[in-house]
Structures are given as structure tokens and as C-alpha cells.
Amino acid sequence: MTSKALLRVENLSKTFFLHEQNKVIPSSSQVNLTVYSGKLTALIGPTGAGKSSVLKSIYRTYLPSSGRLLYETAAGVTLDLALALEHQILELRREEIGFVTQFLHTLPRQKTLDVVAMPLYRQGVGKLEGRARAAELLAELNIPERLWEVPPATFSGGEKQRVNLARGLIASPRLLLLDEPTASLDAKTTDRVVDLIQRKKQQGVGMLAIFHHADLVKRMADEVVELSVPVVSA
Amino acid sequence: MDKILEVKGLSQVYGKGCDLCFASTGPEFETNICPHCGSIVALHDLSFDLYKGEILGIMGESGSGKSTAVKCLYFDQMPVSGSALFFDDSGQKPLFKLNPAQRRSLRNHRFGMVYQNPNLGLNFDISAGGNIAERLLMSQVMNYSEIRERARELLARTEVLTERMDELPKNFSGGMQQRVQIAKALATRPPLLLLDEVTTGLDLSVQAKILDLILEIQSELNTAMIVVTHDLGVIRLLAGRTLVMKYGRVIERGLTDQILEDPQHAYTQQLVASAL
Ligand SMILES: Nc1ncnc2c1ncn2[C@@H]1O[C@H](COP(=O)(O)OP(=O)(O)OP(=O)(O)O)[C@@H](O)[C@H]1O
Ligand SMILES: [Mg+2]
Ligand SMILES: [Zn+2]
């Protein structure tokens, strides 16, 4: 079975212009990659190569400076994410594209179960079902049950990361962007996360991921794309 | 997704105004005061769409025109120019062309407002419960005990101690007053809610409760909201899209995370950097 190209990134570059310092900062330059449904593409390269910037440009947290980000929507339309309207992006975020970042922004009083179930609520799933599915995922990721009814604000780095991961995976997006999803986990928990990600792949989710460890790339990647640090022009 | 509001070219001038007002104010002149006639250009050429259930953030420094924008939409004042189309269940309504009775009806039934200054949103001479009852009376037929029951429900929902519903809101803390205002605004389950600095000046723990409440309301009732604030944290937690204003103009707009992580305009970069 050949998988479909879900996302084709063509010549993506991202630069920042800092007005205060009147300075252009190149972040990613001339990036080309493809993500296929049911496969994982790993982004590798040294710090400063702009790996996270590529993910953020795809999610439109950053405005791409040039290049095309051609995404095949569930409805069968090819959409350039660099040019898509804000409402289109918001809808894709709700329905099709997930992003697991290293940070967790949550409401102060929101319980972990609800934090994780939030993407389902946004799709109109009821509280009962949403919480049940969140519980399942949290159990699988080894988050002790006593933490489920507590807001994640006081959790350890590794616990927060898994909450974040659970939230990213729960709605089974078509495209999942992962920024170091296992960075602060021990070996045993990492194995669980790896299992879970493999299973999502089998379900057809296409992934673009940054891993902090070469070993993880070897275990999980179907494609590897290497970035190099952009050159600063004088 | 369905549109609920479409605002085009909204402008507001305080003062007699002249032909040069718009051309000689704004960010590039670093003032909203017309040098020719001394009028204040509080708002110029504000345009945006709002969808059902969406939260739009408006941020900007003091005096940038944020409150003016929502006050115009709530009919507290008439803009000097511009249009706003409200897509109601019963059809489209051009807000600034409606007659006073139609406007009153939208205000009472379809829009909710929480003012920056609780003085404006609450009647301090009647009890907290009475404030809510007043809004219910204007909008539907209910008997006394039904109204009281509903007021109690709303206050409980916004975590105002219901034992205090017969007290005057002027005796309440700022956080409580804001919650009574929210309860009052929600009384008619309006599809559009305007929130002007709802959390400003409140303790962090009270802020947190109010933010939670706002998101609960959004997901339960699919309420569209315009959230005006100069607090970037509030914008980050609540709004999907954000407008940045300065001297009455929108200087930047975008997805909220993009505005905060990759601001394009010099002013927004400064705002974000100073908030870190
Ligand atoms: N009724 C009025 N008469 C005259 N000037 C006014 C009036 N209301 C507002 N202004 C002026 O219009 C400008 C915009 O005011 P507005 O209250 O909309 O600002 P804002 O962005 O809400 O500020 P803040 O963050 O301080 O609440 C300011 O220069 C203000 O002084
Ligand atoms: Mg104001
Ligand atoms: Zn003038």
C-alpha cells in the first residue's frame, strides 16, 4: 500500500524582522519535505536549524516568509497553509491538524481530564464521552489516576508533557506535529509513548516530528529530513 | 461556520470633527487628537468578521479605542461612520440603521455587555438579584418567583453567593461586581457577548475563575464574544484571533498565537516583549 502525500512543504523559509534592532533573523531556509498519511517524517539538524520554526510555520503560529505548504484536506482540496484564511486555519486546527508542543497553556482551574478532552469538546463530543476517552489515554500514558481531577499546573515536566501529548492525540488528527514529545520522559514511559505513536500511525495519522534523540528517530521515522543552520547574510 | 457579525469601516470622533481628522491622526502621527480641530478620533476604519461561537480579542494600550468599539456595537453611542451587520436567527440586521425600538430589543435580548466600569453595567441602587430581574423583565414574560429563581441560578452559575442576592452590588468587591455583570449579561442567553476588561484589576485567583467561566459559557452556549483587554495572558487563553489597536486604528490582526509569537508590527513586537 502506498500512502498519500498529506503535506508537501516546498522551499519554506522563515525569517524574523526585529524592528527594535532593525535586524533580520533567518530561522529556517529553503526547507523541502513531505508528510504521508500513516507515516512519520522526522526533522533532524543542529540547534538553530529552525526545526521548531518549520512546525510552527505549518501550524501558522509563525507566518511563513516564503514557500508553499500544500496540505490535502479531508474534503480533498489542496490548500496552501501559508495563504489560508485565519478561519480556515482555525477550522483545520479544530478538525484536522494537531500540534504537541513543549509547553502547556491551560486554564488555571481546568482539570486534567478536561484539558485532555478539550479537542473532543471542540468537535462537539459530550463531557461524559470526552472524559472517558481522556481517562483511557492518560492511563495508557501512565499518569496516576489521582492526578486526573487536578489541574496540571503543578505537574512535573514529564507529566505535563504527557498531558500535552494525550491532548494532541485524543482527537486523532490527520496531521500531527510533534515537537520533542518525549524530551523529559524516562525510558519506560518513552516506550509507552512510542507504542502509542506507532498505533496512531497505523490508524493513518501522518506525522512530522522532532526528537531529541537519534535513537528515537531510528525507532519511529519512515522519512528523515535534515536541516542545516541558515546562513546569516552580511 | 456561520457569521454572526460583520463590521465595516467603523469610525468614531468625539468633538465637532473636520475634513482633516482622519488624515492627520493615527499611529504614524502618534496621536488620536486632530491638530486642526482638536477632536478626538477614538476609532477609525475598524473592520472585522465574527463567527458563531468564536472569541475575538481586541488588545491595545489605554486610549486606543477598544471600549469605544464595543460601546458602538452595544448602541451606547452612534459611530460617525461605518456599518455593522448582525446575522440574527430571524434575519440580517444593519445595526446603525435600526430604529430605537429595534436597537433596544437587540440590546435586551440578543447582546450582552460587561463594562470595564461596573458602574455602567449595574444599577447600584437595586440589589444584585434585582439587576438581573430587570433584564429578564425587559425580555420575557415570567412571574415573580420564576424570575427570582432564574436570577438565583445565574448568580450561582457565576459563583456569586446567592445569600447575597438581595444586597446592593455597591457593597460587593470588584470581582463580585464583574460576576454580577456577567450573570446579568447572560440572563437572556445572548448569542453575542461583549466583554470590556472583565478581569482587569482583579486578584489572580478571581481572574482565573472568570476566565474559566467565560470559556464554559462559550462551549455550553456557543456564544460569540468580543474580548477587549490589554492583558496578553487573557488574550492567549481566550481568543482565537486578535486585533491590535493603536490610536484608534487596527495596526495588526491575526491568529492569537501568531500575534504573540511572531508579531509583525513594531508596536506589537514592543507590546509582546514588554509583557514577557
Ligand atoms: N465620551 C468621550 N468623550 C470624549 N473623548 C472620549 C470619550 N470616550 C472616549 N474618549 C477618548 O477616546 C479615546 C479612546 O477611548 P477608549 O475608552 O475607547 O479607549 P480604550 O482603548 O478602551 O482605553 P482603556 O484601555 O484605557 O480602557 C481616548 O482618547 C479617550 O480619551
Ligand atoms: Mg476601555
Ligand atoms: Zn479635525
Side-chain angles (χ1 to χ4, degrees):
Chain A
M1 194 187 89
T2 56
S3 27
K4 275 195 340 254
L6 183 62
L7 175 73
R8 280 168 295 146
V9 172
E10 300 176 355
N11 298 318
L12 168 67
S13 296
K14 173 62 190 164
T15 55
F16 293 95
F17 179 67
L18 303 184
H19 290 270
E20 178 86 354
Q21 300 157 40
N22 194 23
K23 205 157 104 188
V24 177
I25 298 176
S27 157
S28 318
S29 114
Q30 299 294 320
V31 175
N32 287 282
L33 62 85
T34 306
V35 181
Y36 300 93
S37 299
K39 298 210 160 165
L40 188 146
T41 299
L43 270 182
I44 60 167
T47 24
K51 303 184 293 292
S52 295
S53 296
V54 171
L55 299 193
K56 288 186 177 181
S57 297
I58 293 166
Y59 203 62
R60 269 277 290 275
T61 298
Y62 289 170
L63 282 177
S65 305
S66 62
R68 300 205 297 172
L69 308 164
L70 302 173
Y71 173 74
E72 302 297 325
T73 68
V77 179
T78 305
L79 187 67
D80 185 349
L81 299 176
L83 303 175
L85 301 173
E86 286 157 16
H87 281 117
Q88 288 177 308
I89 296 286
L90 287 174
E91 192 169 335
L92 288 175
R93 288 179 178 185
R94 200 164 45 240
E95 305 290 341
E96 302 190 22
I97 302 179
F99 193 2
V100 178
T101 59
Q102 292 157 301
F103 302 101
L104 184 64
H105 291 288
T106 57
L107 285 167
R109 285 200 310 175
Q110 199 172 42
K111 292 171 181 168
T112 297
L113 276 177
D114 292 318
V115 169
V116 172
M118 188 50 83
L120 294 177
Y121 299 158
R122 290 217 178 97
Q123 293 180 351
V125 175
K127 205 130 187 163
L128 221 58
E129 191 195 331
R131 292 182 129 236
R133 283 170 63 184
E136 215 174 288
L137 211 48
L138 287 169
E140 189 160 359
L141 288 169
N142 229 354
I143 300 279
E145 199 169 335
R146 70 185 158 78
L147 296 179
W148 296 359
E149 296 285 347
V150 180
T154 55
F155 288 13
S156 74
E159 286 161 353
K160 275 188 189 161
Q161 189 152 37
R162 279 171 285 157
V163 170
N164 225 358
L165 192 67
R167 182 170 63 170
L169 290 171
I170 197 163
S172 288
R174 298 177 71 238
L175 172 65
L176 186 59
L177 309 169
L178 298 161
D179 197 343
E180 306 209 2
T182 56
S184 28
L185 305 183
D186 60 36
K188 188 167 145 254
T189 321
T190 301
D191 287 343
R192 293 211 177 199
V193 171
V194 170
D195 279 352
L196 191 60
I197 291 180
Q198 300 287 21
R199 209 148 8 95
K200 287 288 164 181
K201 263 169 49 176
Q202 279 154 18
Q203 290 169 12
V205 179
M207 303 190 199
L208 179 62
I210 302 167
F211 295 112
H212 64 295
H213 208 287
D215 174 54
L216 288 164
V217 176
K218 211 171 291 162
R219 285 168 77 182
M220 284 190 278
D222 302 288
E223 308 256 330
V224 177
V225 174
E226 181 161 11
L227 305 187
S228 47
V229 180
V231 209
V232 187
S233 53
Chain B
M1 271 207 304
D2 301 320
K3 213 181 263 189
I4 187 160
L5 188 67
E6 187 182 286
V7 174
K8 285 209 174 115
L10 200 63
S11 299
Q12 181 67 308
V13 176
Y14 299 113
K16 62 180 184 354
C18 74
D19 289 345
L20 296 168
C21 280
F22 294 145
S24 34
T25 54
E28 58 278 41
F29 299 93
E30 298 197 353
T31 181
N32 62 358
I33 301 172
C34 174
H36 307 283
C37 71
S39 300
I40 294 172
V41 180
L43 196 61
H44 180 51
D45 202 18
L46 172 68
S47 301
F48 64 85
D49 290 338
L50 185 71
Y51 285 69
K52 282 192 179 145
E54 176 182 25
I55 302 184
L56 175 76
I58 302 185
M59 67 180 213
E61 68 196 21
S62 186
S64 57
K66 308 180 297 294
S67 296
T68 301
V70 286
K71 283 180 181 164
C72 287
L73 294 173
Y74 198 61
F75 305 114
D76 283 329
Q77 42 184 263
M78 271 306 217
V80 292
S81 54
S83 66
L85 204 53
F86 176 64
F87 298 81
D88 207 351
D89 298 340
S90 57
Q92 302 179 11
K93 303 197 169 126
L95 296 189
F96 307 123
K97 296 205 174 108
L98 302 176
N99 65 39
Q102 292 169 315
R103 281 187 246 152
R104 212 160 37 240
S105 156
L106 282 183
R107 252 176 89 109
N108 292 341
H109 302 258
R110 312 298 288 156
F111 299 172
M113 171 78 139
V114 175
Y115 289 92
Q116 181 167 12
N117 180 351
N119 256 318
L120 295 175
L122 296 175
N123 184 338
F124 277 1
D125 301 325
I126 57 173
S127 69
N131 265 278
I132 294 166
E134 198 181 51
R135 191 161 153 92
L136 288 169
L137 274 172
M138 283 188 274
S139 70
Q140 58 227 106
V141 206
M142 276 187 170
N143 65 38
Y144 174 77
S145 66
E146 275 171 347
I147 285 182
R148 203 170 153 76
E149 194 37 49
R150 179 103 176 95
R152 183 191 300 279
E153 248 172 61
L154 284 157
L155 289 170
R157 182 76 185 69
T158 53
E159 300 188 39
V160 175
L161 288 176
T162 49
E163 302 89 81
R164 301 192 62 181
M165 72 186 278
D166 296 319
E167 282 180 47
L168 299 181
K170 71 168 164 239
N171 300 332
F172 290 176
S173 67
M176 278 247 274
Q177 289 174 347
Q178 284 312 51
R179 280 178 275 168
V180 176
Q181 269 208 91
I182 295 175
K184 182 175 181 178
L186 287 178
T188 58
R189 306 185 147 242
L192 175 64
L193 207 51
L194 309 169
L195 305 171
D196 194 354
E197 306 278 6
V198 254
T199 57
T200 305
L202 305 178
D203 294 348
L204 285 180
S205 67
V206 179
Q207 281 195 18
K209 287 184 184 179
I210 291 183
L211 295 179
D212 274 346
L213 172 66
I214 291 170
L215 283 183
E216 270 172 45
I217 292 163
Q218 181 210 19
S219 67
E220 256 168 55
L221 304 174
N222 201 33
T223 314
M225 305 188 198
I226 299 177
V227 172
V228 166
T229 177
H230 59 258
D231 185 335
L232 272 55
V234 169
I235 290 274
R236 184 190 284 279
L237 284 172
L238 296 184
R241 290 183 307 133
T242 294
L243 309 180
V244 184
M245 297 194 54
K246 193 180 189 190
Y247 294 123
R249 272 65 167 188
V250 173
I251 55 163
E252 179 162 359
R253 60 175 75 219
L255 297 166
T256 300
D257 51 330
Q258 182 252 298
I259 294 280
L260 296 177
E261 295 194 36
D262 185 16
Q264 305 293 305
H265 196 283
Y267 174 69
T268 320
Q269 289 186 358
Q270 220 177 30
L271 267 188
V272 171
S274 62
L276 290 179

